[in-house]
Amino acid sequence: MSKETAPLTVKCPTCKTQVIWTPNSVYRPFCSKQCQLIDLGEWADEEKRIAGAPDLSDSDGWSEDMGH
């Protein structure tokens, strides 16, 4: 007797539709190309970002000629 398992499903990060996680799901974790492009646009517009330390800039007191 073989035990069949249900395929893994995840929610599309954009529209929350259930997506079956298989090689046939070419846009996974997204449900469609449209949702994939919406997400990419949000990253490009900096609506989404990964939390971390702020970038250093010249105005932050960093200098390559700090006497070392």
Side-chain angles (χ1 to χ4, degrees), residues 5-11 18-23 25 28-29:
T5 59
L8 176 64
T9 59
V10 297
K11 287 185 180 179
Q18 290 293 325
V19 178
I20 298 174
W21 193 276
T22 67
S25 304
R28 66 181 185 259

Side-chain angles (χ1 to χ4, degrees), residues 15-61:
C15 71
K16 309 302 182 214
T17 299
Q18 290 293 325
V19 178
I20 298 174
W21 193 276
T22 67
N24 295 336
S25 304
V26 295
Y27 300 111
R28 66 181 185 259
F30 303 98
C31 66
S32 66
K33 183 73 170 177
Q34 179 180 357
C35 282
Q36 187 183 49
L37 290 173
I38 289 170
D39 185 77
L40 178 62
E42 290 172 349
W43 283 98
D45 289 341
E46 296 184 1
E47 294 172 27
K48 292 184 177 180
R49 61 188 62 123
I50 297 173
D55 292 337
L56 292 176
S57 70
D58 290 338
S59 63
D60 293 331

